[in-house]
Amino acid sequence: MQPNIVFEPLREQALFAQLPMPAAEGIEGAIARAIARVGRSLPDFRQSFPAPSSEGQMYPAMDNSEWTNGFWTGILWLSWQLTGSQDYRTAAELQVADFLERARREVNVAHHDLGFLYTPSACAAWQLTGSEAGRVAGLLAADLLMRRYDPTTGVIQAWGDLTDPAESGRMIMDCNLNLPLLYWASRETGRAVYRQAADRHLAQAERYLVRPDGSTFHTFHMDTQTGAPLRGTTHQGFADDSCWSRGQAWGIYGFTLGYALSGRERLVALAKKLANYFINRCDETLVPRWDLIFDGGSDEPYDTSAAAVAACGLLELVRHLPLGDPHRDLYARIAWAMVEQLDRAHLAALDTSNGLLADGVYHMPKRIGVGECCLWGDYFYLEALIRLRQVWVPYWL
């Protein structure tokens, strides 16, 4: 029998309890401002895609060859759902055809980010419109992702050639958001192999990526010969023993989705453990610095994309908590406070940017996309808004 999951209490519960609950007027205003920015960008990105992060607040255009392209198509689907405008659907459908071709030609697919690419684009198309191209593309992507599953270690290798000793056996927290593609493929085909791989990876992520205090490693290395654990490290965080903010946010959202998809009830408590650790290390704005090792007095850059991911994770977590759980109300208030802060203080300028959220961080150690718009941040911010406005069926489920 596995032990109960113990987590630190929220440090400002009385303060959080005084935060307002989501209000329709505020949500609609935030949606209008967000959609204005998406609409401004639409003419430039109908048959091309924004780069992963902006340069001087402007996304360069690129072809469908990066790990982030699916987020833009997801933004188009969300915008269609929020507005009913056919322009967004038409553009999204053009891009789904491109994703099908990409999967067939295997263009830059030697990584685990197939879920980021195909869930909010192709699988969303199948869910929303019954697109056969979306379904075929999603299943091809799931097969590509399965190539990276190693049954000895029970993990999906994040990056690199599968025979590269430096990369083999490496899992990262981000992969929790790629696993929904495998659960979806299992439902669509009736084949258990997809679900079994996702279940195993999820269990290994819980076991090795989460530290006892509720912080997380960004990456963890396994021995592919024996399956034994080797070491936890970071790739984008401050240090191996620090806690990269966006990785923690991926954990909150990913383990919550993991519960919804696997039915493993302890993952709800695990997501709460990660959530409390994350929230307790934000300052009063509830937007984290790029690594949670930096406290409220730090002048290190914020990462708005981490806040957007965390807000979605909290809102998904609220859906699965019983009515009597005191965290349910607190998480709803905190998520709305995060979104309000992003709307109030971190929107990209409408007249000088083609992005949505400013002040994101792509890769601090490499100084890429620091203080810029990040495409996943834009997507998850819009997803948080649709979650706040209505009962929404997530693309990830």
Side-chain angles (χ1 to χ4, degrees), residues 62-111:
M62 63 171 298
D63 61 6
N64 192 0
S65 59
E66 262 286 4
W67 69 272
T68 53
N69 297 133
F71 292 123
W72 172 246
T73 312
I75 287 170
L76 297 178
W77 286 125
L78 289 171
S79 299
W80 176 53
Q81 287 191 273
L82 284 164
T83 68
S85 171
Q86 189 66 27
D87 283 351
Y88 295 116
R89 174 174 174 169
T90 300
E93 288 175 332
L94 284 171
Q95 294 184 356
V96 169
D98 197 355
F99 276 102
L100 176 57
E101 182 65 15
R102 177 174 177 173
R104 285 173 169 163
R105 292 175 52 216
E106 298 188 16
V107 176
N108 189 16
V109 294
H111 51 74

Side-chain angles (χ1 to χ4, degrees), residues 43-330:
D44 297 329
F45 301 116
R46 289 183 182 274
Q47 293 182 297
S48 63
F49 297 82
S53 59
S54 64
E55 298 174 6
Q57 304 300 310
M58 292 293 291
Y59 284 114
M62 63 171 298
D63 61 6
N64 192 0
S65 59
E66 262 286 4
W67 69 272
T68 53
N69 297 133
F71 292 123
W72 172 246
T73 312
I75 287 170
L76 297 178
W77 286 125
L78 289 171
S79 299
W80 176 53
Q81 287 191 273
L82 284 164
T83 68
S85 171
Q86 189 66 27
D87 283 351
Y88 295 116
R89 174 174 174 169
T90 300
E93 288 175 332
L94 284 171
Q95 294 184 356
V96 169
D98 197 355
F99 276 102
L100 176 57
E101 182 65 15
R102 177 174 177 173
R104 285 173 169 163
R105 292 175 52 216
E106 298 188 16
V107 176
N108 189 16
V109 294
H111 51 74
H112 72 164
D113 291 318
L114 279 302
F116 285 144
L117 281 170
Y118 282 85
T119 298
S121 60
C123 298
W126 170 244
Q127 178 197 119
L128 295 171
T129 72
S131 165
E132 188 61 26
R135 183 178 186 275
V136 172
L139 292 175
L140 287 172
D143 286 338
L144 292 168
L145 186 56
M146 282 296 294
R147 291 182 188 176
R148 308 192 66 75
Y149 176 69
D150 174 33
T152 301
T153 61
V155 306
I156 295 168
Q157 181 179 316
W159 310 300
D161 189 294
L162 295 173
T163 62
D164 180 356
E167 298 296 345
S168 60
R170 181 205 289 263
M171 64 172 162
I172 72 172
M173 184 61 82
D174 315 37
C175 193
N176 281 14
L177 268 290
N178 292 305
L179 299 179
L181 178 64
L182 298 182
Y183 286 106
W184 172 84
S186 188
R187 293 197 308 270
E188 287 297 314
T189 64
R191 295 179 59 202
V193 63
Y194 299 108
R195 180 188 179 93
Q196 289 165 353
D199 282 347
R200 183 85 188 284
H201 182 103
L202 194 61
Q204 296 292 71
E206 175 189 352
R207 185 174 183 182
Y208 296 116
L209 287 174
V210 181
R211 302 184 184 114
D213 66 354
S215 65
T216 54
F217 289 112
H218 181 197
T219 85
F220 200 94
H221 300 259
M222 309 286 289
D223 187 324
T224 56
Q225 299 301 311
T226 67
L230 295 176
R231 64 193 180 281
T233 63
T234 195
H235 179 69
Q236 289 177 249
F238 176 75
D240 289 345
D241 59 354
S242 70
C243 185
W244 179 49
S245 298
R246 195 161 72 249
Q248 190 80 359
W250 292 136
I252 297 165
Y253 197 3
F255 284 122
T256 305
L257 291 172
Y259 160 70
L261 292 163
S262 73
R264 291 182 58 218
E265 292 188 4
R266 66 182 276 108
L267 295 181
V268 174
L270 187 66
K272 290 170 67 175
K273 180 171 185 168
L274 270 61
N276 285 13
Y277 188 95
F278 182 98
I279 294 163
N280 284 342
R281 284 153 186 83
C282 293
D283 62 22
E284 66 279 0
T285 70
L286 291 172
V287 177
R289 306 290 172 170
W290 68 277
D291 193 292
L292 295 177
I293 198 172
F294 301 112
D295 60 23
S298 172
D299 60 359
E300 289 288 323
Y302 289 106
D303 182 7
T304 55
S305 73
V309 175
C312 289
L314 292 174
L315 292 169
E316 179 65 22
L317 187 51
V318 165
R319 294 178 61 234
H320 302 291
L321 293 177
L323 291 176
D325 189 318
H327 286 87
R328 190 174 188 272
D329 178 80
L330 293 173

Side-chain angles (χ1 to χ4, degrees), residues 30-47:
I31 288 171
R33 287 182 284 276
I35 290 295
R37 284 157 174 77
V38 179
R40 180 193 185 282
S41 304
L42 180 60
D44 297 329
F45 301 116
R46 289 183 182 274
Q47 293 182 297

